[in-house]
């Protein structure tokens, strides 16, 4: 019985620690790995994959390079929007946010 109580307390502490750690990492960005593909859905959820060389070659036929910083934003209802960053001022704000 005593070991069960210790297990429950340790589980709750681990859960709280993991939630705190997840909250700390919100808002941080990391770079994509070479060859990685990221998909962003309109509701804001994302997925990544590492395609094989054949699939990568097919995807590169459709790909266009990014010319400047891009920003995405999710509204209160969860819909995701791409922000127009084509002006100098918007590009400067985007780059400042990405640093």
């Amino acid at each position: 019985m005593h070991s069960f109580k210790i297990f429950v307390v340790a589980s709750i502490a681990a859960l709280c620690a993991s939630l705190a750690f997840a909250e700390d990492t919100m808002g941080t960005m990391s770079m994509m790995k070479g060859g990685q593909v990221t998909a962003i859905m309109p509701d804001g959820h994302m997925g990544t994959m590492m395609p094989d060389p054949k699939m990568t070659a097919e995807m590169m036929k459709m790909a266009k390079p990014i010319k400047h910083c891009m920003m995405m934003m999710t509204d209160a209802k969860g819909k995701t929007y791409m922000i127009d960053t084509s002006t100098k001022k918007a590009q400067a704000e985007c780059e400042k946010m990405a640093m």
Side-chain angles (χ1 to χ4, degrees), residues 25-67:
T25 60
M26 294 291 286
T28 62
M29 296 292 292
S30 62
M31 291 181 60
M32 292 173 60
K33 297 176 180 97
Q36 181 178 336
V37 177
T38 301
I40 302 171
M41 297 300 290
D43 67 356
H45 79 272
M46 299 187 307
T48 60
M49 69 181 280
M50 293 295 286
D52 60 40
K54 184 179 176 185
M55 184 182 261
T56 298
E58 288 296 316
M59 290 177 145
M60 286 303 289
K61 293 177 184 175
M62 301 180 286
K64 296 177 185 175
I66 295 173
K67 293 184 168 104

Side-chain angles (χ1 to χ4, degrees), residues 5-19:
K5 287 181 184 178
I6 292 173
F7 174 76
V8 170
V9 170
S11 297
I12 292 172
L15 177 65
C16 291
S18 67
L19 291 174

Side-chain angles (χ1 to χ4, degrees), residues 69-73 81-85 90 93-94 97:
C69 185
M70 296 176 68
M71 288 194 294
M72 304 285 182
M73 177 179 163
Y81 297 87
M82 188 168 82
I83 299 168
D84 179 15
T85 56
E93 285 296 317
C94 185
M97 184 187 308

